[in-house]
Amino acid sequence: MPEIMPGKIFGFSPSPVRCTCEQAQAFWAEKDREEQQRAAEEAQRKEREAMRARIAKLTRESGIKARFQYRTFDTFQIDKENKKAAGQCKRYADAFNQIMLPTKGHDGTMQPPQKERNGLFMTGGFGTGKTHLAAAIANELIRGGTPVICMTMIDLLAQIKRTFDRGGSATEAEIMRLYQDVPLLIIDDLGSEQPTEWGSTAIFSIINARYESYMPVIITSNYGSGELAERMTPAGSDGKNAKKTIDRLCEVCVGIEMNWPSWRTK
Ligand SMILES: Nc1ncnc2c1ncn2[C@@H]1O[C@H](COP(=O)(O)OP(=O)(O)OP(=O)(O)O)[C@@H](O)[C@H]1O
Ligand SMILES: [Mg+2]
């Protein structure tokens, strides 16, 4: 019969006491690691879900989806000229989640991705398939659950500008954060926008933020790097922002030249 001690309440603790023998310590260390990993994966899944919802909204609002959604690798016809570019893009999409993204180290710091040049810089004449291939990468990744933003430079800037309207659904800071944090940002037709000081500052801050955190970008443009810097420089400006933007892109992107007759006039 247990001794009854007046004034004391005894309760049963549901959390088991861990044995401290060597074998048990190893067992619990492994269990804790698994639990931490599960929690991290769950947090990442939730973060990505929230990001996908934000992207879906953004995509709906700017009408990007209809323009890009049917451009896939399956509908891209391979010929002698475009074979290499198509192969590079397909391999990029296939390897994206394994080697193109930075990883979080044990101490919480961001580690560079396995592939140092984790972006693509696709240049070439009109109608050569740059947007088609960029959209094919986007569609493949989105299908696999990776959030991607694929926008023309003009739409991207317009989207930021819309946040200036009173009653807009997102703040400028939210949109800029999304452009900076999304696993893959594709900027289509860089250099086709009318250059302004505000625009070149906005582009620089997006590219620079992604550059600093090793986040990949894909650029398509009708202009090579030298000409592009000129195109992005507003009249009367020293072009510093444009040059710094292109400089960073050249460092982190693999160049793909697509120079052949336009598919549109075939
Ligand atoms: N190899 C291909 N197979 C099938 N369709 C193609 C191919 N190349 C281009 N196209 C189609 O041709 C059209 C023009 O291609 P796209 O828009 O990708 O060209 P672009 O290089 O981005 O041109 P621009 O510089 O004018 O923006 C699109 O409808 C695209 O789907
Ligand atoms: Mg295009």
Side-chain angles (χ1 to χ4, degrees):
M1 212 33 203
E3 195 187 343
I4 294 171
M5 298 169 78
K8 301 246 181 210
I9 298 169
F10 292 91
F12 171 72
S13 161
S15 46
V17 177
R18 291 183 176 189
C19 170
T20 52
C21 79
E22 215 172 280
Q23 222 179 350
Q25 277 183 15
F27 171 81
W28 286 114
E30 179 59 25
K31 272 262 174 266
D32 287 344
R33 230 187 336 269
E34 279 172 15
E35 191 47 50
Q36 273 168 9
Q37 195 175 337
R38 246 198 309 278
E41 279 170 8
E42 180 58 16
Q44 193 191 35
R45 194 188 61 75
K46 281 197 177 140
E47 198 179 301
R48 290 192 157 193
E49 222 165 68
M51 191 179 270
R52 260 196 298 278
R54 280 187 289 158
I55 287 169
K57 189 161 173 288
L58 198 64
T59 309
R60 262 196 317 273
E61 282 176 358
S62 49
I64 305 160
K65 217 172 178 177
R67 196 160 3 119
F68 287 114
Q69 66 187 343
Y70 299 113
R71 294 181 180 167
T72 62
F73 288 112
D74 288 343
T75 58
F76 192 83
Q77 292 176 39
I78 306 288
D79 61 24
K80 255 197 346 274
E81 289 168 318
N82 65 31
K83 191 172 171 208
K84 189 172 166 210
Q88 279 176 290
C89 291
K90 182 73 175 90
R91 283 194 297 279
Y92 182 89
D94 289 345
F96 185 83
N97 281 303
Q98 286 73 49
I99 60 172
M100 305 299 177
L101 288 172
T103 49
K104 220 178 222 170
H106 292 302
D107 56 356
T109 57
M110 292 312 278
Q111 303 295 312
Q114 206 173 314
K115 181 97 163 66
E116 231 170 274
R117 282 177 183 258
N118 62 346
L120 299 177
F121 197 155
M122 301 159 74
T123 57
F126 305 132
T128 53
K130 300 180 295 298
T131 301
H132 190 134
L133 285 178
I137 295 173
N139 283 320
E140 185 165 316
L141 293 183
I142 288 167
R143 254 204 324 270
T146 305
V148 179
I149 291 180
C150 181
M151 277 177 134
T152 64
M153 193 66 235
I154 291 171
D155 287 342
L156 193 136
L157 293 176
Q159 192 76 43
I160 303 172
K161 275 222 175 97
R162 281 178 54 179
T163 63
F164 300 159
D165 299 342
R166 297 215 306 144
S169 55
T171 65
E172 183 191 358
E174 276 172 348
I175 294 280
M176 289 298 268
R177 217 193 68 219
L178 187 55
Y179 291 158
Q180 289 163 9
D181 292 350
V182 66
L184 178 62
L185 176 68
I186 300 179
I187 303 179
D188 194 30
D189 250 343
L190 189 59
S192 60
E193 67 287 354
Q194 195 60 36
T196 63
E197 207 55 58
W198 172 80
S200 64
T201 307
I203 299 163
F204 174 71
S205 42
I206 295 166
I207 298 299
N208 190 50
R210 293 188 71 86
Y211 171 84
E212 285 182 346
S213 51
Y214 309 109
M215 293 301 277
V217 284
I218 294 181
I219 303 292
T220 82
S221 181
N222 290 128
Y223 310 100
S225 53
E227 209 184 341
L228 188 53
E230 267 173 48
R231 299 279 317 182
M232 289 168 63
T233 301
S237 158
D238 61 0
K240 206 164 141 200
N241 273 333
K243 284 185 203 133
K244 281 163 67 173
T245 302
I246 306 298
D247 208 46
R248 280 159 180 70
L249 290 175
C250 288
E251 184 187 332
V252 295
C253 291
V254 171
I256 299 182
E257 275 186 46
M258 297 175 62
N259 283 310
W260 45 80
S262 170
W263 191 272
R264 293 192 184 101
T265 49
K266 254 194 163 183

